[in-house]
Amino acid sequence: MIVAGAIAGTVALGIGLGFWASGDDSGPAGSAQRQSPSDGRSGAAASASGGGSPAPLPTRSYALSKAPQTIPAVRSHTAARGPGWRPARGERVVVNDADLADEGRLIAGELGLTYAGQKDDVQAGDVRLALGDGDGANPESYAMTVRGGRVNISGPSDAGVFYGTRTLKQEVHGGGTAPEGIVRDQPAKPVRGFMLDIARKHFTAGWIEDRVRELGDLKFNQLGLHFSDDQGFRIQSDTHPEIVSQQHLTKAEVKQIVDLAASRHITVVPEIDSPGHLGAVIAAHPDLQLRNAQGVAAKGAVDISKPAAAKIVDDLLNEYAGLFPGNQWNLGGDEYLALMVSNPAASYPQLAAAAVNKYGPGGTVSDLTTGWLNDRAGTIRAHGRTMRVWNDGFFRGTSVQPAKDLQVAYWTGKEIGARQPVEYLSAGRKLINYNDEFLYYVLGQPNNFVYPTGQRIYEQWTPRVVRGTQAVPAQYDGQILGGSFAVWCDLSNSQTQDQVAAGIRMPLRATVQKLWDPGQPGLSWTQFKALAGRLG
């Protein structure tokens, strides 16, 4: 955190007005504590100097402001002397552009102010939101100036302005004051995500909406929804209603979640994982299940040698592309059981035969699986999406290469044939950090998983710590787009959804702090936790 040079100032007022510190929340902005005549500016002081002239009038002054206390912490604050700003009923929120109407209405409602729309005049107490030119600036950056009893928040995009309003909301939380001065702020990483497994455990639409509001106030910008797996398919389908679980979200509920997320500048990232983790689809279509040479079923895996398997997945990808209008998609690709045996060709001869038929004598099951992934990417690419794939969906030594535009969602080094993150980064791949050592909240703690703590993330993790506890070289920092905290519901009844909300509260705050600014935090963990308690 940077605290830049101060701007000093005093305001001459009448006798009886004294010193008021902008950080004092005991009175309304602009109030002052009474100052006694014996404070050093009395007549006795004047006569002691040998003069008979009247004593100078007392002046009202302000302590140099302190940086806002927010989560995540602001990157830069230029201190100043002044009363700061706090909301009062009847004061206005005004905008310079109609595109900021949603941001203006939201912050006005939250702070009990009046949304006045586009105005050019200036009134006392105004909060003004403005779009600026911002050529070359980070689109999520903003500047917030508190001066003269007013607040001005500007940024190159409505997202940046929105983040400025989140800072203002936290500053004045519980009757506090936005400190005088200038905040200049922007995130270090463009991907700040939270992923929720709604396939294994049904979460209500209301609970998810509550998380969206929480994420927005913390300046997260992505919500991942993993809604298809072996245990359930949790969103209404018109193309394949037979696969949908009894407990599911309707499309109307999903649209409401997506719209709420958009109003908070959060992109919803859907995931239909394939060719593994399709058990709910297979339950309605058992003919698609992958079986080995002995006829034993591979749990959750479809037989990718069958064209019908590709068709049903493409049907779903095309259907849900219309429901999720954001520019991101997760194709999954992990833990395909055909590639988790010692000899895939011997165990699954039908896949080996299909690979040779498609790619020639040298074709392998890994080639066939990579080709499957590329074909699904082609389906989604036609909808203009950017795609990510779990790191164990990329296979070493294949003649068929994964599409160049696939980003790596790196979650673990535990999978068979695991590759270090640097192998992907040195090949030029962009990467999103889901490090399961720090960022995986797995219900029931199976397979040696332990519920992550906010303290461990806050003190030990950065976006460059992609696998285990070791950071990748700094030269790759630009390819690491950010990270995502993830909730997986392997043992779905281990916690209620309210217990999940409580359990992830501090880990979410620690994660976004390190994605917004990966440097050493200015607060200790104890201080950070106390701040989170005050902010709610």
Side-chain angles (χ1 to χ4, degrees), residues 244-264:
V244 178
S245 301
Q246 183 176 4
Q247 284 190 309
H248 65 272
L249 299 174
T250 66
K251 285 190 173 181
E253 288 174 323
V254 173
K255 185 179 186 304
Q256 189 166 318
I257 291 167
V258 169
D259 289 348
L260 178 65
S263 75
R264 266 64 174 178

Side-chain angles (χ1 to χ4, degrees), residues 11-365:
V11 182
L13 299 174
I15 295 175
L17 294 179
F19 179 79
W20 184 86
S22 65
D24 181 4
D25 293 342
S26 60
S31 67
Q33 296 174 345
R34 292 284 178 183
Q35 187 172 3
S36 74
S38 60
D39 67 350
R41 294 185 178 273
S42 63
S47 60
S49 66
S53 60
L57 294 176
T59 61
R60 177 178 176 180
S61 61
Y62 300 91
L64 197 62
S65 63
K66 296 180 180 180
Q69 294 285 290
T70 61
I71 296 175
V74 301
R75 305 290 295 276
S76 169
H77 176 250
T78 302
R81 297 184 188 277
W85 178 91
R86 72 173 58 182
R89 194 161 298 281
E91 293 177 344
R92 310 183 305 174
V93 175
V94 297
V95 300
N96 79 337
D97 192 296
D99 286 346
L100 294 174
D102 289 345
E103 289 73 20
R105 290 190 180 97
L106 178 62
I107 190 65
E110 290 169 331
L111 300 185
L113 307 177
T114 299
Y115 177 67
Q118 290 180 262
K119 300 289 183 182
D120 293 326
D121 65 312
V122 176
Q123 293 185 14
D126 275 355
V127 174
R128 176 171 290 275
L129 310 183
L131 288 176
D133 294 335
D135 291 339
N138 183 328
E140 294 186 302
S141 65
Y142 68 92
M144 180 171 68
T145 302
V146 179
R147 181 185 298 147
R150 291 182 290 274
V151 179
N152 185 79
I153 299 171
S154 62
S157 75
D158 51 352
V161 173
F162 171 73
Y163 296 136
T165 68
R166 300 306 88 192
T167 294
L168 181 65
K169 179 183 176 182
Q170 288 194 29
E171 286 178 326
V172 301
H173 176 83
T177 299
E180 201 87 1
I182 303 172
V183 168
R184 291 184 175 87
D185 201 13
Q186 65 180 33
K189 294 298 180 182
V191 173
R192 303 177 303 281
F194 169 59
M195 198 230 71
L196 181 63
D197 172 11
I198 65 172
R200 294 179 176 93
K201 181 180 180 68
H202 174 67
F203 289 86
T204 64
W207 189 93
I208 297 172
E209 289 173 6
D210 285 344
R211 299 291 74 68
V212 168
R213 296 183 184 94
E214 179 181 14
L215 295 171
D217 282 353
L218 293 171
K219 301 173 186 160
F220 280 90
N221 64 0
Q222 290 190 5
L223 167 64
L225 291 180
H226 174 93
F227 64 92
S228 169
D229 213 303
D230 298 342
Q231 294 84 350
F233 193 99
R234 300 290 183 179
I235 296 179
Q236 172 190 347
S237 173
D238 300 319
T239 61
H240 290 281
E242 73 280 0
I243 70 174
V244 178
S245 301
Q246 183 176 4
Q247 284 190 309
H248 65 272
L249 299 174
T250 66
K251 285 190 173 181
E253 288 174 323
V254 173
K255 185 179 186 304
Q256 189 166 318
I257 291 167
V258 169
D259 289 348
L260 178 65
S263 75
R264 266 64 174 178
H265 297 276
I266 295 170
T267 298
V268 180
V269 183
E271 180 189 359
I272 298 176
D273 200 346
S274 78
H277 294 282
L278 284 171
V281 173
I282 292 168
H285 296 272
D287 55 305
L288 299 182
Q289 184 146 37
L290 177 66
R291 295 182 180 274
N292 69 11
Q294 289 73 44
V296 177
K299 181 182 178 182
V302 294
D303 188 334
I304 61 175
S305 70
K306 295 183 176 182
K311 182 182 184 304
I312 194 170
V313 173
D314 283 347
D315 286 347
L316 296 169
L317 293 175
N318 286 319
E319 176 180 1
Y320 291 107
L323 185 61
F324 296 99
N327 62 352
Q328 300 284 322
W329 196 284
N330 191 338
L331 292 170
D334 64 312
E335 296 180 326
Y336 186 48
L337 294 182
L339 293 173
M340 299 175 71
V341 295
S342 59
N343 190 335
S347 295
Y348 300 98
Q350 75 275 32
L351 300 184
V356 170
N357 183 59
K358 188 169 185 178
Y359 299 113
T364 66
V365 177

Side-chain angles (χ1 to χ4, degrees), residues 323-530:
L323 185 61
F324 296 99
N327 62 352
Q328 300 284 322
W329 196 284
N330 191 338
L331 292 170
D334 64 312
E335 296 180 326
Y336 186 48
L337 294 182
L339 293 173
M340 299 175 71
V341 295
S342 59
N343 190 335
S347 295
Y348 300 98
Q350 75 275 32
L351 300 184
V356 170
N357 183 59
K358 188 169 185 178
Y359 299 113
T364 66
V365 177
S366 293
D367 288 326
L368 190 70
T369 309
T370 302
W372 164 283
L373 189 67
N374 287 343
D375 289 344
R376 307 293 76 74
T379 300
I380 286 297
R381 192 181 295 110
H383 295 281
R385 305 301 198 264
T386 299
M387 297 156 289
R388 67 190 64 166
V389 177
W390 299 113
N391 62 288
D392 51 331
F394 295 83
F395 308 108
R396 182 187 279 117
T398 56
S399 60
V400 179
Q401 295 299 305
K404 293 186 180 299
D405 60 348
L406 298 180
Q407 298 172 354
V408 180
Y410 200 103
W411 70 282
T412 188
K414 299 183 178 75
E415 76 281 4
I416 295 173
R419 286 180 278 172
Q420 294 289 341
V422 168
E423 187 170 335
Y424 301 95
L425 294 167
S426 63
R429 296 272 179 192
K430 294 180 179 178
L431 185 149
I432 301 164
N433 188 333
Y434 288 80
N435 188 336
D436 65 347
E437 289 278 331
F438 290 91
L439 305 179
Y440 261 36
Y441 192 95
V442 185
L443 266 60
Q445 304 182 107
N447 302 319
N448 297 317
F449 281 107
V450 176
Y451 291 130
T453 67
Q455 182 172 2
R456 188 161 182 255
I457 297 167
Y458 189 77
E459 294 178 345
Q460 300 179 31
W461 181 80
T462 73
R464 283 174 46 212
V465 180
V466 178
R467 170 174 169 166
T469 59
Q470 297 300 311
V472 301
Q475 71 191 77
Y476 297 115
D477 185 62
Q479 291 172 241
I480 300 173
L481 301 178
S484 182
F485 189 85
V487 170
W488 294 101
C489 302
D490 292 40
L491 300 176
S492 60
N493 294 324
S494 300
Q495 290 189 341
T496 66
Q497 60 182 17
D498 289 340
Q499 288 173 323
V500 173
I504 66 176
R505 183 177 177 277
M506 288 309 300
L508 281 177
R509 283 152 178 77
T511 299
V512 80
Q513 173 60 45
K514 303 304 279 290
L515 290 168
W516 195 267
D517 183 354
Q520 182 68 29
L523 301 179
S524 69
W525 170 250
T526 299
Q527 292 169 325
F528 183 81
K529 189 175 180 180

